[in-house]
Amino acid sequence: MKTIKNFVLAVLVAIISITSANALDLIAPSSIGGTTHKFSIIIQRDLQNKGFDVNLIVAGNCVLGKKIWKDTEEAIFITTEASNAVPECTVEITEDNYALNLFTAGWVIVSHTNSLGERMGVVSYMKQTVKDLDVKLVPYKNTTEIKAAFIAGEIDSGFLTHGRASEIEEKIVLINTMSSNKGAFSQWKNNNLTLNYYVLGKNLDSKIIDAMKNNKKINDIATKKQMIPVELESTVEQVKYLLTNQEAWQ
Amino acid sequence: MEVTLFFSGILLGVFAGLMPGIGVFTTLILIYPLLLDLTISQLLILYIPLLSISQYLGSVPALYFKIPGESTSFIATEYGYPLFHKGHYDLIPLTAIGSFVATLISAFIIACLPFILENFFYGLLSTKFMFFLILLTGACLVGTSKNSWLLTIGLMILGLILGNIGFNASNGRFFGTFGIDWLSYGIPIFPFIVGLYVIPNVLDINPSSITSKHIDSAYSSSVLKLKKYFSKMLSGSFIGVVTGFIPIVGKIIGVSVSRALYKSSDKNSVVVAESSNNSAIFTALIPLFLFGLPITMGEILIFNIAETNYYNLTTEFKNLLQTPLLPIVIVLSGIAGLILSWPLARYCSMVFRMPITWLKTFLLSIVLGSLFYLGIENNMLWYYVLILIFFIPIGYLLRKNDVIPLIFSFIFAKISITIFERIII
């Protein structure tokens, strides 16, 4: 019954999204079916249920996402430091447009042995973050591909989110960036690197930001996947934190 | 609830198989909000029939109208269509039965998974193995194309260049965008194929005298011919079992390689290819079930949704393998596909009662309607239209040639370059 209700709701949402000219744009600067798209749908559904008129735009990639963001008058934009670190995709984070941090993910280096080995799998746009490690970097599209390569024995080690790494049964964790014990990586400058999924807003009503903060599904995922968002006391500190983190990603 | 989901999967599979451009992934996107609340087993009960039925039915519009309902239907359009319109109406039942044989083999393999050592599959996931199969596909395309080998190689190089335009998320580089934002997205595949292949073919359709009686007679006679074609169905199925492990393009590699076993004018080439795609779609699920590794776009979406609701998805999949649920759903989907192909084939024959101008208008309306829908859905309608307009003249110029090597190398482009780069590191 609940599913049928949701389906009817989804159809109504789709119709409303198409017909409504004044809806708030929710921009996912990513491809359809990806993680950012999923989070965007969860937020859109929740905001619709709370009475806000929201039109989801899945841009296809971060370059087009930035273009749509520039052209829009009133919008929500969900992004990460990793995406924002690509020069063609950078949307400036300011105290005015920062709205909310959804998730903070830690990163892990897993290996078959106690060392990095010869070849380490890394997400292509993240190569800069691990370039000073003494290992050959093999680029992959995402952490799922790295997991596949690690399992198949194609790479000796892999740089993965904590959540993705936890899915691999046979592994040795060399470092967890969210742990205080940095092991052999105490000198590595990015040993505390995190990835934040955060929201920027343009001409956004504070009621909408409050509504997004109280999204039960998002909060459940954060708890379940150990991605509780880092939220500092002031917006100034929060923006500084994201900008510092973004530099590490560049 | 589960029964409703299964039948919804069948209906959605009919939709995905018949509507050009609306494949499994796009269909899943259409019902995305509904999927978010489903459990893993519910997701798979919906996904498996959708996947299976789309493969069964994709060949029907391909054989009748030369319109590929699915990405693997190009073999049916290019090689099956001329045979079908020369009176080989039994291609529809034979491809459906071949698909069913492949489905049964896949169900058996998936039922055996809990008893097979996981290490056995590691080799099939290796980059070198994937690269070898992609090279083999290239060789098959060159060796068996209707074109001269020089033209085929030229078309493949063009496909690789066009397919690599845009941002390659696997190596993090832009190629051929010339600073134009829209090109960062790459060339969208649907307007590319519609302009290059579908529209020139639809405009070239001739009237057909095919009737429902022809189809009924083809179905009854195909049972008698089963013995003759059974070994081909088996060989196609086994090729699909192996190539299914290649991420994203496994089923296309399967149909290309298996088709190359026979001459293009040989009916066997279509039967073997259509069997191959049905086993490939199911073996592509094995890395997901064993290692929690999604390797096709549809699986990535299912995995992405499921991981929101579970702590450890790999364990959940393994638990699911201990039950007979998956083989049962696969076999039931196969039976549904086999049954549905008959009335559908009869219904399609009725379409030919229309005057040929009306028929062409009708088919073009469906194709262009899908294109506009996808363009709007992706917020790039004008870009879709521009790509379409750009490729129609090229398609018209190439209409007398075999453009399958161009289309397949376009589809393979990004993954080929990525795998090559990984090998040389």
Side-chain angles (χ1 to χ4, degrees):
Chain A
M1 195 61 201
K2 191 186 164 196
T3 308
I4 294 168
K5 188 181 144 196
N6 284 338
F7 182 71
V8 172
L9 193 68
V11 172
L12 288 175
V13 166
I15 293 167
I16 291 165
S17 304
I18 291 167
T19 53
S20 173
N22 297 315
L24 172 70
D25 289 334
L26 168 55
I27 304 165
S30 63
S31 56
I32 286 178
T35 306
T36 308
H37 179 209
K38 178 176 68 180
F39 294 152
S40 303
I41 287 184
I42 293 170
I43 287 174
Q44 184 203 25
R45 280 211 310 183
D46 184 58
L47 288 176
Q48 295 279 5
N49 287 337
K50 290 172 180 167
F52 297 101
D53 198 1
V54 180
N55 175 37
L56 176 61
I57 299 174
V58 186
N61 64 31
C62 57
V63 181
L64 296 174
K66 179 183 176 183
K67 183 180 165 69
I68 296 168
W69 165 258
K70 268 185 181 171
D71 296 342
T72 190
E73 291 294 317
E74 188 184 24
I76 301 169
F77 188 80
I78 300 178
T79 189
T80 65
E81 296 102 326
S83 171
N84 223 26
V86 177
E88 289 85 349
C89 303
T90 309
V91 171
E92 195 184 355
I93 317 169
T94 65
E95 287 166 49
D96 288 336
N97 67 20
Y98 172 77
L100 164 74
N101 197 8
L102 297 173
F103 304 107
T104 301
W107 288 78
V108 165
I109 297 180
V110 296
S111 174
H112 294 293
T113 63
N114 285 318
S115 71
L116 287 171
E118 195 187 344
R119 290 157 59 90
M120 183 169 88
V122 59
V123 179
S124 63
Y125 55 73
M126 292 183 57
K127 277 193 285 187
Q128 297 304 314
T129 61
V130 287
K131 67 179 179 189
D132 30 351
L133 296 177
D134 185 21
V135 66
K136 276 185 192 168
L137 300 177
V138 186
Y140 290 90
K141 189 176 180 180
N142 50 44
T143 53
T144 312
E145 283 194 357
I146 297 175
K147 180 182 145 191
F150 186 78
I151 289 172
E154 292 278 314
I155 48 177
D156 304 305
S157 53
F159 194 41
L160 305 162
T161 53
H162 178 264
R164 190 67 68 220
S166 65
E167 294 163 9
I168 302 172
E169 286 172 3
E170 289 178 27
K171 62 177 187 280
I172 293 170
V173 175
L174 300 180
I175 180 179
N176 179 344
T177 61
M178 288 185 93
S179 156
S180 54
N181 177 12
K182 305 298 180 188
F185 294 83
S186 56
Q187 298 303 310
W188 179 36
K189 67 172 183 174
N190 285 334
N191 64 12
N192 58 356
L193 190 77
T194 55
L195 178 72
N196 294 273
Y197 286 84
Y198 57 92
V199 178
L200 300 180
K202 196 187 248 186
N203 298 322
L204 208 55
D205 192 323
S206 60
K207 284 179 192 167
I208 294 175
I209 300 174
D210 290 339
M212 282 193 285
K213 278 181 185 166
N214 297 315
N215 186 316
K216 188 179 175 305
K217 185 111 184 170
I218 292 282
N219 296 339
D220 282 351
I221 295 170
T223 311
K224 208 177 278 180
K225 296 287 171 188
Q226 298 178 37
M227 298 199 299
I228 303 291
V230 169
E231 287 177 299
L232 301 172
E233 281 184 10
S234 71
T235 309
V236 180
E237 285 177 274
Q238 189 75 30
V239 170
K240 196 178 167 193
Y241 162 72
L242 290 174
L243 285 171
T244 309
N245 222 17
Q246 187 175 303
E247 274 176 32
W249 284 90
Q250 280 167 340
Chain B
M1 176 69 182
E2 274 70 12
V3 175
T4 310
L5 285 170
F6 180 77
F7 283 104
S8 305
I10 289 177
L11 283 177
L12 292 166
V14 173
F15 176 70
L18 293 183
M19 291 302 287
I22 313 284
V24 172
F25 181 71
T26 309
T27 308
L28 285 172
I29 289 294
L30 288 174
I31 54 162
Y32 200 141
L34 171 71
L35 303 176
L36 285 170
D37 296 316
L38 299 181
T39 63
I40 288 179
S41 53
Q42 288 172 333
L43 281 168
L44 291 170
I45 288 170
L46 180 89
Y47 178 64
I48 288 172
L50 161 56
L51 188 64
S52 180
I53 301 292
S54 67
Q55 296 299 315
Y56 272 89
L57 303 190
S59 56
V60 177
L63 291 171
Y64 268 101
F65 313 118
K66 215 177 178 183
I67 295 178
E70 253 286 323
S71 58
T72 49
S73 306
F74 285 103
I75 300 301
T77 57
E78 198 58 30
Y79 305 102
Y81 174 85
L83 290 165
F84 185 72
H85 287 271
K86 279 179 190 164
H88 293 278
Y89 303 129
D90 56 354
L91 267 177
I92 288 187
L94 286 174
T95 53
I97 295 168
S99 300
F100 187 65
V101 170
T103 304
L104 291 181
I105 291 172
S106 308
F108 176 74
I109 293 172
I110 287 176
C112 291
L113 283 182
F115 314 103
I116 299 174
L117 279 178
E118 291 172 7
N119 304 22
F120 174 77
F121 295 100
Y122 289 173
L124 297 172
L125 292 169
S126 87
T127 304
K128 284 177 184 161
F129 176 69
M130 289 179 208
F131 190 62
F132 163 74
L133 280 184
I134 288 175
L135 284 181
L136 180 65
T137 306
C140 289
L141 288 171
V142 174
T144 63
S145 172
K146 295 175 195 167
N147 307 322
S148 69
W149 65 269
L150 200 61
L151 177 63
T152 303
I153 290 176
L155 289 175
M156 286 173 71
I157 292 170
L158 180 63
L160 285 174
I161 293 169
L162 293 173
N164 268 301
I165 288 175
F167 180 66
N168 185 338
S170 295
N171 58 24
R173 284 201 295 271
F174 290 87
F175 172 77
T177 58
F178 306 105
I180 301 167
D181 286 345
W182 285 109
L183 282 177
S184 68
Y185 182 80
I187 295 176
I189 189 163
F190 191 56
F192 169 75
I193 288 173
V194 169
L196 189 77
Y197 188 78
V198 177
I199 288 183
N201 281 325
V202 169
L203 294 176
D204 217 24
I205 281 183
N206 294 313
S208 171
S209 55
I210 186 168
T211 63
S212 307
K213 279 185 183 171
H214 287 125
I215 294 300
D216 292 344
S217 140
Y219 262 85
S220 49
S221 66
S222 64
V223 178
L224 302 172
K225 294 177 192 165
L226 199 54
K227 197 177 167 188
K228 183 182 167 192
Y229 289 98
F230 191 67
S231 60
K232 283 86 185 177
M233 293 169 182
L234 279 182
S235 53
S237 304
F238 284 116
I239 290 172
V241 164
V242 176
T243 60
F245 284 89
I246 316 294
I248 311 292
V249 293
K251 59 184 181 178
I252 299 177
I253 289 181
V255 295
S256 310
V257 172
S258 51
R259 193 210 72 75
L261 294 175
Y262 301 94
K263 284 181 187 169
S264 58
S265 56
D266 189 341
K267 206 156 60 176
N268 289 329
S269 67
V270 182
V271 175
V272 78
E274 288 293 318
S275 306
S276 148
N277 63 15
N278 274 68
S279 50
I281 56 167
F282 290 121
T283 48
L285 287 166
I286 291 176
L288 180 69
F289 294 152
L290 286 183
F291 315 116
L293 288 176
I295 62 169
T296 66
M297 295 304 286
E299 285 174 34
I300 290 167
L301 196 74
I302 294 290
F303 182 83
N304 202 355
I305 293 165
E307 73 172 350
T308 308
N309 302 319
Y310 292 88
Y311 286 100
N312 189 339
L313 212 47
T314 313
T315 311
E316 295 291 336
F317 279 120
K318 284 192 175 169
N319 291 341
L320 205 58
L321 280 181
Q322 302 297 327
T323 71
L325 177 78
L326 296 172
I328 289 173
V329 175
I330 290 171
V331 172
L332 289 178
S333 304
I335 294 170
L338 193 59
I339 294 170
L340 276 173
S341 70
W342 193 338
L344 184 74
R346 295 181 96 244
Y347 177 76
C348 281
S349 69
M350 293 173 195
V351 176
F352 273 109
R353 289 181 196 164
M354 278 189 209
I356 196 70
T357 318
W358 286 29
L359 176 61
K360 287 180 183 179
T361 311
F362 170 69
L363 294 174
L364 282 177
S365 306
I366 292 177
V367 171
L368 292 176
S370 299
L371 186 134
F372 288 139
Y373 171 76
L374 289 174
I376 292 168
E377 192 68 9
N378 289 311
N379 301 293
M380 46 182 78
L381 178 60
W382 285 111
Y383 184 49
Y384 267 50
V385 172
L386 283 175
I387 294 291
L388 176 74
I389 292 170
F390 183 82
F391 282 104
I392 285 177
I394 298 173
Y396 182 77
L397 288 172
L398 291 172
R399 71 190 185 286
K400 302 287 181 201
N401 298 289
D402 178 1
V403 293
I404 299 299
L406 170 59
I407 292 173
F408 279 7
S409 57
F410 177 86
I411 296 171
F412 291 158
K414 281 198 172 107
I415 196 167
S416 306
I417 295 296
T418 304
I419 286 178
F420 180 67
E421 284 186 12
R422 275 183 208 150
I423 282 179
I424 58 172
I425 285 176

